[in-house]
Amino acid sequence: MGVMNKFMNFIGLQEEEEIVERERIIETPEEPETPLQEQRTKQQQNKNNIVSIHSQKNSRVVLHEPHSFDDSQEIADHLRSRRTVVVNLQRVRPEQAVRIFDFLNGTVYALNGSISKIGPNIFLCAPDSVEIQGSISDFLHEA
């Protein structure tokens, strides 16, 4: 009967408090609970907490087009705040683009994130909580 109660609790058809009260009544209808038993019951309740799969309230993707190397610090701050950033390096000089990319690559590495090229001089920088799947083929080399 305990497995059925856990299943009903998991899908939300039964409240957790009702289950604990029913199990107490079935187990010990005559004896009062000792402080040790109360503590065990509370520990069991803590272990059976339901965690929502929608734990992150709102995820945000930031689009950023830096104009100089100084803007790379702002992008790194977004990554530290666990936001995904799309970086467009098309409007900066090639030397600046390399410096910005190297800085962001080091930031992503330090945060255990990932970086992926999604276009010519456009990169997707993601923290470790975001998984990047697939790749975009570079059709310029195919033509």
Side-chain angles (χ1 to χ4, degrees):
M1 186 161 180
V3 174
M4 187 63 157
N5 287 339
K6 288 181 183 178
F7 179 74
M8 299 274 288
N9 184 27
F10 179 74
I11 60 174
L13 296 176
Q14 188 173 11
E15 293 292 323
E16 188 173 333
E17 297 170 87
E18 293 175 1
I19 295 170
V20 173
E21 289 176 9
R22 286 183 189 166
E23 288 178 356
R24 277 191 218 154
I25 292 170
I26 293 170
E27 289 175 2
T28 58
E30 304 141 358
E31 301 175 7
E33 261 189 6
T34 65
L36 182 60
Q37 289 173 337
E38 287 179 21
Q39 185 179 8
R40 286 183 186 161
T41 305
K42 288 180 183 178
Q43 288 175 350
Q44 287 175 349
Q45 285 178 346
N46 289 340
K47 288 181 183 177
N48 294 332
N49 285 344
I50 297 175
V51 178
S52 173
I53 58 173
H54 304 290
S55 61
Q56 194 171 14
K57 291 184 182 176
N58 57 3
S59 26
R60 184 178 294 175
V61 176
V62 179
L63 304 176
H64 207 287
E65 190 172 41
H67 298 290
S68 67
F69 180 75
D70 297 334
D71 296 338
S72 59
Q73 180 67 41
E74 185 179 342
I75 299 168
D77 290 338
H78 286 300
L79 288 168
R80 283 185 22 204
S81 299
R82 298 193 168 281
R83 293 186 194 110
T84 303
V85 183
V86 176
V87 182
N88 182 1
L89 297 175
Q90 292 178 340
R91 301 222 179 206
V92 293
R93 291 177 295 165
E95 311 84 49
Q96 291 288 327
V98 169
R99 288 186 64 206
I100 293 170
F101 178 78
D102 288 343
F103 180 80
L104 293 178
N105 203 15
T107 303
V108 166
Y109 177 78
L111 297 173
N112 293 327
S114 56
I115 191 166
S116 180
K117 184 175 183 177
I118 57 175
N121 292 333
I122 300 174
F123 299 92
L124 176 68
C125 303
D128 61 344
S129 60
V130 176
E131 180 181 344
I132 299 175
Q133 288 183 339
S135 63
I136 297 176
S137 61
D138 194 4
F139 65 91
L140 297 175
H141 293 292
E142 294 174 2

